[in-house]
């Protein structure tokens, strides 16, 4: 009985997570459609620069 309720809870959590992911995708695609390409590209560059800077820092600390 207890295992069944755990599985039910996991299934509900999985469905909620999936709905949240779809909502995020919808919101992000609306943002991309409404945003000028130069502004969007600038944001992507900033994001990637931060991402790769962290990666470089973590490699230096491992050495």
């Amino acid at each position: 009985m207890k295992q069944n309720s755990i599985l039910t809870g996991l299934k509900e959590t999985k469905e909620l997570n999936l709905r949240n992911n779809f909502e995020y995708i919808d919101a992000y695609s609306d943002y991309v459609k409404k945003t000028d390409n130069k502004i969007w590209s600038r944001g992507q560059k900033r994001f990637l620069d931060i991402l790769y800077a962290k990666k470089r820092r973590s490699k230096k600390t491992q050495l």
Side-chain angles (χ1 to χ4, degrees):
M1 222 23 156
K2 187 175 183 179
Q3 186 178 8
N4 191 22
S5 65
I6 292 172
L7 292 177
T8 303
L10 288 174
K11 184 177 179 183
E12 291 170 357
T13 303
K14 182 179 178 181
E15 289 172 2
L16 178 63
N17 187 31
L18 184 61
R19 279 197 302 268
N20 287 338
N21 287 343
F22 284 138
E23 288 175 11
Y24 172 79
I25 291 168
D26 289 342
Y28 189 72
S29 64
D30 287 343
Y31 166 77
V32 170
K33 289 176 187 176
K34 294 176 183 176
T35 305
D36 182 55
N37 192 39
K38 287 184 181 183
I39 295 170
W40 182 84
S41 296
R42 191 178 318 133
Q44 289 296 305
K45 181 186 181 312
R46 271 188 265 139
F47 172 73
L48 292 173
D49 287 346
I50 291 168
L51 182 70
Y52 286 115
K54 286 182 180 179
K55 188 174 182 180
R56 279 188 239 123
R57 282 194 305 261
S58 67
K59 280 186 179 180
K60 288 179 184 177
T61 58
Q62 290 176 355
L63 296 176

